[in-house]
PDB file of all heavy atoms in Angstrom:
ATOM      1  N   PRO A   1       0.833  -1.202   0.001  1.00 95.00           N
ATOM      2  CA  PRO A   1      -0.001   0.001   0.000  1.00 95.00           C
ATOM      3  C   PRO A   1       0.871   1.257   0.000  1.00 95.00           C
ATOM      4  O   PRO A   1       1.876   1.328   0.706  1.00 95.00           O
ATOM      5  CB  PRO A   1      -0.793  -0.121   1.305  1.00 95.00           C
ATOM      6  CG  PRO A   1      -0.732  -1.568   1.679  1.00 95.00           C
ATOM      7  CD  PRO A   1       0.576  -2.064   1.175  1.00 95.00           C
ATOM      8  N   VAL A   2       0.466   2.242  -0.793  1.00 95.00           N
ATOM      9  CA  VAL A   2       1.150   3.533  -0.818  1.00 95.00           C
ATOM     10  C   VAL A   2       0.254   4.530  -0.100  1.00 95.00           C
ATOM     11  O   VAL A   2      -0.868   4.811  -0.540  1.00 95.00           O
ATOM     12  CB  VAL A   2       1.429   4.004  -2.256  1.00 95.00           C
ATOM     13  CG1 VAL A   2       2.199   5.329  -2.237  1.00 95.00           C
ATOM     14  CG2 VAL A   2       2.212   2.947  -3.033  1.00 95.00           C
ATOM     15  N   ILE A   3       0.740   5.049   1.023  1.00 97.00           N
ATOM     16  CA  ILE A   3      -0.027   6.027   1.781  1.00 97.00           C
ATOM     17  C   ILE A   3       0.755   7.334   1.820  1.00 97.00           C
ATOM     18  O   ILE A   3       1.971   7.353   1.639  1.00 97.00           O
ATOM     19  CB  ILE A   3      -0.336   5.544   3.210  1.00 97.00           C
ATOM     20  CG1 ILE A   3       0.923   5.582   4.085  1.00 97.00           C
ATOM     21  CG2 ILE A   3      -0.926   4.140   3.194  1.00 97.00           C
ATOM     22  CD1 ILE A   3       0.645   5.330   5.554  1.00 97.00           C
ATOM     23  N   GLY A   4       0.052   8.435   2.036  1.00 97.00           N
ATOM     24  CA  GLY A   4       0.764   9.702   2.111  1.00 97.00           C
ATOM     25  C   GLY A   4      -0.163  10.878   2.277  1.00 97.00           C
ATOM     26  O   GLY A   4      -1.376  10.722   2.490  1.00 97.00           O
ATOM     27  N   ARG A   5       0.422  12.075   2.140  1.00 97.00           N
ATOM     28  CA  ARG A   5      -0.313  13.324   2.333  1.00 97.00           C
ATOM     29  C   ARG A   5       0.431  14.451   1.620  1.00 97.00           C
ATOM     30  O   ARG A   5       1.641  14.378   1.417  1.00 97.00           O
ATOM     31  CB  ARG A   5      -0.440  13.669   3.824  1.00 97.00           C
ATOM     32  CG  ARG A   5       0.861  13.502   4.572  1.00 97.00           C
ATOM     33  CD  ARG A   5       0.822  14.069   5.968  1.00 97.00           C
ATOM     34  NE  ARG A   5       1.080  15.504   5.984  1.00 97.00           N
ATOM     35  CZ  ARG A   5       0.774  16.309   6.988  1.00 97.00           C
ATOM     36  NH1 ARG A   5       0.179  15.809   8.062  1.00 97.00           N
ATOM     37  NH2 ARG A   5       1.047  17.595   6.943  1.00 97.00           N
ATOM     38  N   HIS A   6      -0.324  15.494   1.239  1.00 95.00           N
ATOM     39  CA  HIS A   6       0.275  16.682   0.628  1.00 95.00           C
ATOM     40  C   HIS A   6      -0.319  17.925   1.297  1.00 95.00           C
ATOM     41  O   HIS A   6      -1.063  18.689   0.714  1.00 95.00           O
ATOM     42  CB  HIS A   6       0.054  16.704  -0.887  1.00 95.00           C
ATOM     43  CG  HIS A   6      -1.358  16.943  -1.313  1.00 95.00           C
ATOM     44  ND1 HIS A   6      -2.425  16.264  -0.764  1.00 95.00           N
ATOM     45  CD2 HIS A   6      -1.911  17.799  -2.206  1.00 95.00           C
ATOM     46  CE1 HIS A   6      -3.547  16.686  -1.313  1.00 95.00           C
ATOM     47  NE2 HIS A   6      -3.267  17.621  -2.194  1.00 95.00           N
ATOM     48  N   VAL A   7       0.018  18.087   2.553  1.00 94.00           N
ATOM     49  CA  VAL A   7      -0.530  19.154   3.387  1.00 94.00           C
ATOM     50  C   VAL A   7       0.633  20.008   3.875  1.00 94.00           C
ATOM     51  O   VAL A   7       1.691  19.474   4.229  1.00 94.00           O
ATOM     52  CB  VAL A   7      -1.297  18.558   4.592  1.00 94.00           C
ATOM     53  CG1 VAL A   7      -1.898  19.671   5.443  1.00 94.00           C
ATOM     54  CG2 VAL A   7      -2.384  17.603   4.114  1.00 94.00           C
ATOM     55  N   PRO A   8       0.492  21.342   3.886  1.00 92.00           N
ATOM     56  CA  PRO A   8       1.582  22.191   4.376  1.00 92.00           C
ATOM     57  C   PRO A   8       2.062  21.772   5.765  1.00 92.00           C
ATOM     58  O   PRO A   8       1.277  21.382   6.624  1.00 92.00           O
ATOM     59  CB  PRO A   8       0.954  23.586   4.397  1.00 92.00           C
ATOM     60  CG  PRO A   8      -0.087  23.538   3.331  1.00 92.00           C
ATOM     61  CD  PRO A   8      -0.644  22.149   3.387  1.00 92.00           C
ATOM     62  N   ASP A   9       3.366  21.860   5.963  1.00 93.00           N
ATOM     63  CA  ASP A   9       4.006  21.385   7.184  1.00 93.00           C
ATOM     64  C   ASP A   9       3.838  22.403   8.312  1.00 93.00           C
ATOM     65  O   ASP A   9       4.601  23.365   8.422  1.00 93.00           O
ATOM     66  CB  ASP A   9       5.501  21.142   6.908  1.00 93.00           C
ATOM     67  CG  ASP A   9       6.238  20.637   8.123  1.00 93.00           C
ATOM     68  OD1 ASP A   9       5.583  20.062   9.011  1.00 93.00           O
ATOM     69  OD2 ASP A   9       7.470  20.810   8.189  1.00 93.00           O
ATOM     70  N   ARG A  10       2.810  22.185   9.120  1.00 92.00           N
ATOM     71  CA  ARG A  10       2.580  22.996  10.314  1.00 92.00           C
ATOM     72  C   ARG A  10       2.330  22.055  11.488  1.00 92.00           C
ATOM     73  O   ARG A  10       1.868  20.925  11.294  1.00 92.00           O
ATOM     74  CB  ARG A  10       1.356  23.901  10.130  1.00 92.00           C
ATOM     75  CG  ARG A  10       1.509  24.953   9.052  1.00 92.00           C
ATOM     76  CD  ARG A  10       0.310  25.892   9.047  1.00 92.00           C
ATOM     77  NE  ARG A  10      -0.891  25.237   8.588  1.00 92.00           N
ATOM     78  CZ  ARG A  10      -1.337  25.291   7.330  1.00 92.00           C
ATOM     79  NH1 ARG A  10      -0.666  25.954   6.414  1.00 92.00           N
ATOM     80  NH2 ARG A  10      -2.450  24.668   6.993  1.00 92.00           N
ATOM     81  N   THR A  11       2.617  22.530  12.690  1.00 93.00           N
ATOM     82  CA  THR A  11       2.401  21.694  13.871  1.00 93.00           C
ATOM     83  C   THR A  11       0.971  21.167  13.922  1.00 93.00           C
ATOM     84  O   THR A  11       0.722  20.010  14.253  1.00 93.00           O
ATOM     85  CB  THR A  11       2.713  22.481  15.153  1.00 93.00           C
ATOM     86  OG1 THR A  11       4.074  22.919  15.106  1.00 93.00           O
ATOM     87  CG2 THR A  11       2.492  21.627  16.392  1.00 93.00           C
ATOM     88  N   GLY A  12       0.017  22.031  13.551  1.00 95.00           N
ATOM     89  CA  GLY A  12      -1.379  21.637  13.619  1.00 95.00           C
ATOM     90  C   GLY A  12      -1.811  20.622  12.584  1.00 95.00           C
ATOM     91  O   GLY A  12      -2.915  20.090  12.662  1.00 95.00           O
ATOM     92  N   SER A  13      -0.967  20.347  11.597  1.00 95.00           N
ATOM     93  CA  SER A  13      -1.357  19.409  10.538  1.00 95.00           C
ATOM     94  C   SER A  13      -0.763  18.013  10.733  1.00 95.00           C
ATOM     95  O   SER A  13      -0.865  17.175   9.842  1.00 95.00           O
ATOM     96  CB  SER A  13      -0.952  19.954   9.170  1.00 95.00           C
ATOM     97  OG  SER A  13       0.446  19.897   8.989  1.00 95.00           O
ATOM     98  N   TRP A  14      -0.155  17.766  11.912  1.00 97.00           N
ATOM     99  CA  TRP A  14       0.418  16.449  12.212  1.00 97.00           C
ATOM    100  C   TRP A  14      -0.148  15.932  13.532  1.00 97.00           C
ATOM    101  O   TRP A  14      -0.627  16.711  14.353  1.00 97.00           O
ATOM    102  CB  TRP A  14       1.935  16.534  12.317  1.00 97.00           C
ATOM    103  CG  TRP A  14       2.641  16.821  11.039  1.00 97.00           C
ATOM    104  CD1 TRP A  14       3.043  18.041  10.572  1.00 97.00           C
ATOM    105  CD2 TRP A  14       3.038  15.867  10.052  1.00 97.00           C
ATOM    106  NE1 TRP A  14       3.665  17.904   9.351  1.00 97.00           N
ATOM    107  CE2 TRP A  14       3.677  16.584   9.012  1.00 97.00           C
ATOM    108  CE3 TRP A  14       2.920  14.481   9.937  1.00 97.00           C
ATOM    109  CZ2 TRP A  14       4.191  15.964   7.879  1.00 97.00           C
ATOM    110  CZ3 TRP A  14       3.436  13.854   8.813  1.00 97.00           C
ATOM    111  CH2 TRP A  14       4.069  14.591   7.799  1.00 97.00           C
ATOM    112  N   PRO A  15      -0.065  14.621  13.775  1.00 97.00           N
ATOM    113  CA  PRO A  15      -0.495  14.091  15.071  1.00 97.00           C
ATOM    114  C   PRO A  15       0.283  14.726  16.233  1.00 97.00           C
ATOM    115  O   PRO A  15       1.352  15.307  16.035  1.00 97.00           O
ATOM    116  CB  PRO A  15      -0.202  12.588  14.957  1.00 97.00           C
ATOM    117  CG  PRO A  15      -0.239  12.305  13.482  1.00 97.00           C
ATOM    118  CD  PRO A  15       0.326  13.545  12.837  1.00 97.00           C
ATOM    119  N   ALA A  16      -0.255  14.577  17.428  1.00 96.00           N
ATOM    120  CA  ALA A  16       0.313  15.261  18.591  1.00 96.00           C
ATOM    121  C   ALA A  16       1.483  14.517  19.215  1.00 96.00           C
ATOM    122  O   ALA A  16       2.337  15.136  19.860  1.00 96.00           O
ATOM    123  CB  ALA A  16      -0.772  15.475  19.648  1.00 96.00           C
ATOM    124  N   THR A  17       1.548  13.191  19.050  1.00 96.00           N
ATOM    125  CA  THR A  17       2.568  12.401  19.746  1.00 96.00           C
ATOM    126  C   THR A  17       3.370  11.553  18.756  1.00 96.00           C
ATOM    127  O   THR A  17       2.869  11.212  17.673  1.00 96.00           O
ATOM    128  CB  THR A  17       1.925  11.454  20.778  1.00 96.00           C
ATOM    129  OG1 THR A  17       1.145  10.451  20.074  1.00 96.00           O
ATOM    130  CG2 THR A  17       1.025  12.233  21.733  1.00 96.00           C
ATOM    131  N   PRO A  18       4.601  11.176  19.127  1.00 96.00           N
ATOM    132  CA  PRO A  18       5.379  10.276  18.258  1.00 96.00           C
ATOM    133  C   PRO A  18       4.658   8.960  18.010  1.00 96.00           C
ATOM    134  O   PRO A  18       4.743   8.397  16.911  1.00 96.00           O
ATOM    135  CB  PRO A  18       6.680  10.066  19.039  1.00 96.00           C
ATOM    136  CG  PRO A  18       6.787  11.252  19.945  1.00 96.00           C
ATOM    137  CD  PRO A  18       5.375  11.611  20.303  1.00 96.00           C
ATOM    138  N   GLU A  19       3.971   8.454  19.027  1.00 97.00           N
ATOM    139  CA  GLU A  19       3.266   7.177  18.881  1.00 97.00           C
ATOM    140  C   GLU A  19       2.173   7.263  17.823  1.00 97.00           C
ATOM    141  O   GLU A  19       2.043   6.367  16.958  1.00 97.00           O
ATOM    142  CB  GLU A  19       2.676   6.745  20.225  1.00 97.00           C
ATOM    143  CG  GLU A  19       3.683   6.397  21.295  1.00 97.00           C
ATOM    144  CD  GLU A  19       4.342   7.624  21.934  1.00 97.00           C
ATOM    145  OE1 GLU A  19       3.790   8.745  21.785  1.00 97.00           O
ATOM    146  OE2 GLU A  19       5.407   7.460  22.566  1.00 97.00           O
ATOM    147  N   ASP A  20       1.380   8.324  17.875  1.00 97.00           N
ATOM    148  CA  ASP A  20       0.325   8.491  16.878  1.00 97.00           C
ATOM    149  C   ASP A  20       0.909   8.755  15.491  1.00 97.00           C
ATOM    150  O   ASP A  20       0.362   8.290  14.483  1.00 97.00           O
ATOM    151  CB  ASP A  20      -0.604   9.636  17.279  1.00 97.00           C
ATOM    152  CG  ASP A  20      -1.583   9.247  18.376  1.00 97.00           C
ATOM    153  OD1 ASP A  20      -1.684   8.041  18.674  1.00 97.00           O
ATOM    154  OD2 ASP A  20      -2.235  10.150  18.932  1.00 97.00           O
ATOM    155  N   LEU A  21       2.003   9.492  15.436  1.00 97.00           N
ATOM    156  CA  LEU A  21       2.638   9.771  14.142  1.00 97.00           C
ATOM    157  C   LEU A  21       3.063   8.489  13.447  1.00 97.00           C
ATOM    158  O   LEU A  21       2.772   8.272  12.263  1.00 97.00           O
ATOM    159  CB  LEU A  21       3.839  10.692  14.356  1.00 97.00           C
ATOM    160  CG  LEU A  21       4.665  11.013  13.110  1.00 97.00           C
ATOM    161  CD1 LEU A  21       3.868  11.877  12.135  1.00 97.00           C
ATOM    162  CD2 LEU A  21       5.967  11.714  13.485  1.00 97.00           C
ATOM    163  N   LEU A  22       3.764   7.609  14.183  1.00 97.00           N
ATOM    164  CA  LEU A  22       4.266   6.375  13.570  1.00 97.00           C
ATOM    165  C   LEU A  22       3.177   5.323  13.409  1.00 97.00           C
ATOM    166  O   LEU A  22       3.351   4.375  12.644  1.00 97.00           O
ATOM    167  CB  LEU A  22       5.429   5.827  14.396  1.00 97.00           C
ATOM    168  CG  LEU A  22       6.689   6.702  14.377  1.00 97.00           C
ATOM    169  CD1 LEU A  22       7.784   6.074  15.215  1.00 97.00           C
ATOM    170  CD2 LEU A  22       7.177   6.928  12.944  1.00 97.00           C
ATOM    171  N   ALA A  23       2.069   5.472  14.121  1.00 97.00           N
ATOM    172  CA  ALA A  23       0.924   4.593  13.878  1.00 97.00           C
ATOM    173  C   ALA A  23       0.247   4.973  12.561  1.00 97.00           C
ATOM    174  O   ALA A  23      -0.166   4.106  11.786  1.00 97.00           O
ATOM    175  CB  ALA A  23      -0.069   4.674  15.031  1.00 97.00           C
ATOM    176  N   ALA A  24       0.139   6.280  12.317  1.00 97.00           N
ATOM    177  CA  ALA A  24      -0.512   6.745  11.090  1.00 97.00           C
ATOM    178  C   ALA A  24       0.382   6.578   9.870  1.00 97.00           C
ATOM    179  O   ALA A  24      -0.105   6.280   8.771  1.00 97.00           O
ATOM    180  CB  ALA A  24      -0.916   8.216  11.247  1.00 97.00           C
ATOM    181  N   TYR A  25       1.687   6.779  10.051  1.00 97.00           N
ATOM    182  CA  TYR A  25       2.660   6.702   8.954  1.00 97.00           C
ATOM    183  C   TYR A  25       3.801   5.776   9.389  1.00 97.00           C
ATOM    184  O   TYR A  25       4.861   6.226   9.821  1.00 97.00           O
ATOM    185  CB  TYR A  25       3.208   8.094   8.614  1.00 97.00           C
ATOM    186  CG  TYR A  25       2.138   9.129   8.396  1.00 97.00           C
ATOM    187  CD1 TYR A  25       1.772  10.005   9.415  1.00 97.00           C
ATOM    188  CD2 TYR A  25       1.456   9.229   7.181  1.00 97.00           C
ATOM    189  CE1 TYR A  25       0.770  10.952   9.235  1.00 97.00           C
ATOM    190  CE2 TYR A  25       0.463  10.169   6.989  1.00 97.00           C
ATOM    191  CZ  TYR A  25       0.122  11.032   8.028  1.00 97.00           C
ATOM    192  OH  TYR A  25      -0.863  11.965   7.845  1.00 97.00           O
ATOM    193  N   PRO A  26       3.592   4.451   9.308  1.00 96.00           N
ATOM    194  CA  PRO A  26       4.555   3.495   9.870  1.00 96.00           C
ATOM    195  C   PRO A  26       5.956   3.639   9.277  1.00 96.00           C
ATOM    196  O   PRO A  26       6.130   3.991   8.110  1.00 96.00           O
ATOM    197  CB  PRO A  26       3.938   2.142   9.508  1.00 96.00           C
ATOM    198  CG  PRO A  26       2.474   2.420   9.353  1.00 96.00           C
ATOM    199  CD  PRO A  26       2.399   3.794   8.759  1.00 96.00           C
ATOM    200  N   ASP A  27       6.952   3.320  10.111  1.00 93.00           N
ATOM    201  CA  ASP A  27       8.348   3.427   9.681  1.00 93.00           C
ATOM    202  C   ASP A  27       9.014   2.061   9.550  1.00 93.00           C
ATOM    203  O   ASP A  27      10.248   1.969   9.470  1.00 93.00           O
ATOM    204  CB  ASP A  27       9.142   4.281  10.674  1.00 93.00           C
ATOM    205  CG  ASP A  27       9.221   3.670  12.071  1.00 93.00           C
ATOM    206  OD1 ASP A  27       8.447   2.718  12.350  1.00 93.00           O
ATOM    207  OD2 ASP A  27      10.043   4.138  12.880  1.00 93.00           O
ATOM    208  N   ASP A  28       8.205   0.985   9.522  1.00 92.00           N
ATOM    209  CA  ASP A  28       8.786  -0.358   9.489  1.00 92.00           C
ATOM    210  C   ASP A  28       8.833  -0.963   8.087  1.00 92.00           C
ATOM    211  O   ASP A  28       9.167  -2.140   7.924  1.00 92.00           O
ATOM    212  CB  ASP A  28       8.002  -1.284  10.418  1.00 92.00           C
ATOM    213  CG  ASP A  28       6.515  -1.350  10.070  1.00 92.00           C
ATOM    214  OD1 ASP A  28       6.104  -0.749   9.042  1.00 92.00           O
ATOM    215  OD2 ASP A  28       5.753  -2.003  10.824  1.00 92.00           O
ATOM    216  N   GLY A  29       8.504  -0.169   7.058  1.00 91.00           N
ATOM    217  CA  GLY A  29       8.538  -0.675   5.690  1.00 91.00           C
ATOM    218  C   GLY A  29       7.295  -1.415   5.271  1.00 91.00           C
ATOM    219  O   GLY A  29       7.202  -1.866   4.122  1.00 91.00           O
ATOM    220  N   ARG A  30       6.339  -1.536   6.174  1.00 90.00           N
ATOM    221  CA  ARG A  30       5.103  -2.261   5.837  1.00 90.00           C
ATOM    222  C   ARG A  30       4.316  -1.526   4.753  1.00 90.00           C
ATOM    223  O   ARG A  30       3.691  -2.141   3.892  1.00 90.00           O
ATOM    224  CB  ARG A  30       4.263  -2.405   7.092  1.00 90.00           C
ATOM    225  CG  ARG A  30       2.971  -3.196   6.923  1.00 90.00           C
ATOM    226  CD  ARG A  30       2.354  -3.428   8.288  1.00 90.00           C
ATOM    227  NE  ARG A  30       1.084  -4.114   8.233  1.00 90.00           N
ATOM    228  CZ  ARG A  30       0.402  -4.476   9.325  1.00 90.00           C
ATOM    229  NH1 ARG A  30       0.888  -4.236  10.518  1.00 90.00           N
ATOM    230  NH2 ARG A  30      -0.753  -5.095   9.209  1.00 90.00           N
ATOM    231  N   PHE A  31       4.338  -0.192   4.804  1.00 95.00           N
ATOM    232  CA  PHE A  31       3.692   0.644   3.794  1.00 95.00           C
ATOM    233  C   PHE A  31       4.746   1.505   3.115  1.00 95.00           C
ATOM    234  O   PHE A  31       5.784   1.823   3.690  1.00 95.00           O
ATOM    235  CB  PHE A  31       2.640   1.564   4.419  1.00 95.00           C
ATOM    236  CG  PHE A  31       1.510   0.864   5.117  1.00 95.00           C
ATOM    237  CD1 PHE A  31       0.808   1.512   6.117  1.00 95.00           C
ATOM    238  CD2 PHE A  31       1.139  -0.422   4.777  1.00 95.00           C
ATOM    239  CE1 PHE A  31      -0.243   0.886   6.772  1.00 95.00           C
ATOM    240  CE2 PHE A  31       0.096  -1.067   5.418  1.00 95.00           C
ATOM    241  CZ  PHE A  31      -0.606  -0.414   6.426  1.00 95.00           C
ATOM    242  N   ASP A  32       4.451   1.894   1.902  1.00 95.00           N
ATOM    243  CA  ASP A  32       5.246   2.883   1.182  1.00 95.00           C
ATOM    244  C   ASP A  32       4.677   4.253   1.555  1.00 95.00           C
ATOM    245  O   ASP A  32       3.547   4.575   1.194  1.00 95.00           O
ATOM    246  CB  ASP A  32       5.113   2.613  -0.323  1.00 95.00           C
ATOM    247  CG  ASP A  32       5.958   3.541  -1.172  1.00 95.00           C
ATOM    248  OD1 ASP A  32       6.382   4.608  -0.672  1.00 95.00           O
ATOM    249  OD2 ASP A  32       6.178   3.223  -2.348  1.00 95.00           O
ATOM    250  N   VAL A  33       5.425   5.051   2.309  1.00 97.00           N
ATOM    251  CA  VAL A  33       4.946   6.325   2.842  1.00 97.00           C
ATOM    252  C   VAL A  33       5.559   7.474   2.040  1.00 97.00           C
ATOM    253  O   VAL A  33       6.779   7.560   1.909  1.00 97.00           O
ATOM    254  CB  VAL A  33       5.304   6.472   4.333  1.00 97.00           C
ATOM    255  CG1 VAL A  33       4.828   7.822   4.863  1.00 97.00           C
ATOM    256  CG2 VAL A  33       4.698   5.330   5.149  1.00 97.00           C
ATOM    257  N   ARG A  34       4.709   8.352   1.524  1.00 96.00           N
ATOM    258  CA  ARG A  34       5.176   9.477   0.705  1.00 96.00           C
ATOM    259  C   ARG A  34       4.559  10.776   1.231  1.00 96.00           C
ATOM    260  O   ARG A  34       3.353  10.849   1.438  1.00 96.00           O
ATOM    261  CB  ARG A  34       4.828   9.263  -0.765  1.00 96.00           C
ATOM    262  CG  ARG A  34       5.357   7.928  -1.265  1.00 96.00           C
ATOM    263  CD  ARG A  34       5.236   7.732  -2.747  1.00 96.00           C
ATOM    264  NE  ARG A  34       5.657   6.394  -3.116  1.00 96.00           N
ATOM    265  CZ  ARG A  34       5.832   5.971  -4.369  1.00 96.00           C
ATOM    266  NH1 ARG A  34       5.612   6.804  -5.377  1.00 96.00           N
ATOM    267  NH2 ARG A  34       6.222   4.731  -4.604  1.00 96.00           N
ATOM    268  N   ILE A  35       5.421  11.765   1.405  1.00 96.00           N
ATOM    269  CA  ILE A  35       5.026  13.028   2.020  1.00 96.00           C
ATOM    270  C   ILE A  35       5.407  14.179   1.101  1.00 96.00           C
ATOM    271  O   ILE A  35       6.549  14.265   0.639  1.00 96.00           O
ATOM    272  CB  ILE A  35       5.733  13.228   3.389  1.00 96.00           C
ATOM    273  CG1 ILE A  35       5.516  12.030   4.316  1.00 96.00           C
ATOM    274  CG2 ILE A  35       5.294  14.537   4.039  1.00 96.00           C
ATOM    275  CD1 ILE A  35       4.102  11.829   4.761  1.00 96.00           C
ATOM    276  N   MET A  36       4.461  15.086   0.842  1.00 96.00           N
ATOM    277  CA  MET A  36       4.768  16.312   0.119  1.00 96.00           C
ATOM    278  C   MET A  36       4.203  17.496   0.890  1.00 96.00           C
ATOM    279  O   MET A  36       3.126  17.399   1.464  1.00 96.00           O
ATOM    280  CB  MET A  36       4.181  16.287  -1.302  1.00 96.00           C
ATOM    281  CG  MET A  36       4.675  17.457  -2.166  1.00 96.00           C
ATOM    282  SD  MET A  36       4.178  17.341  -3.913  1.00 96.00           S
ATOM    283  CE  MET A  36       2.494  17.962  -3.832  1.00 96.00           C
TER     284      MET A  36
END
């Protein structure tokens, strides 16, 4: 699966905690994560 987002980089546009961030956008290679 390819997941991602193209939203301006502001504090309010990301999850609040590291745990929620990596749950939404995993870093283990399970998904292809693309950010713009």
Side-chain angles (χ1 to χ4, degrees):
V2 182
I3 73 171
R5 46 170 277 162
H6 70 312
V7 181
D9 180 23
R10 295 186 291 264
T11 301
S13 72
W14 292 95
T17 67
E19 294 76 17
D20 283 349
L21 177 68
L22 293 180
Y25 309 98
D27 63 346
D28 57 5
R30 183 172 177 177
F31 299 156
D32 183 342
V33 178
R34 306 189 185 189
I35 306 294
M36 189 172 81

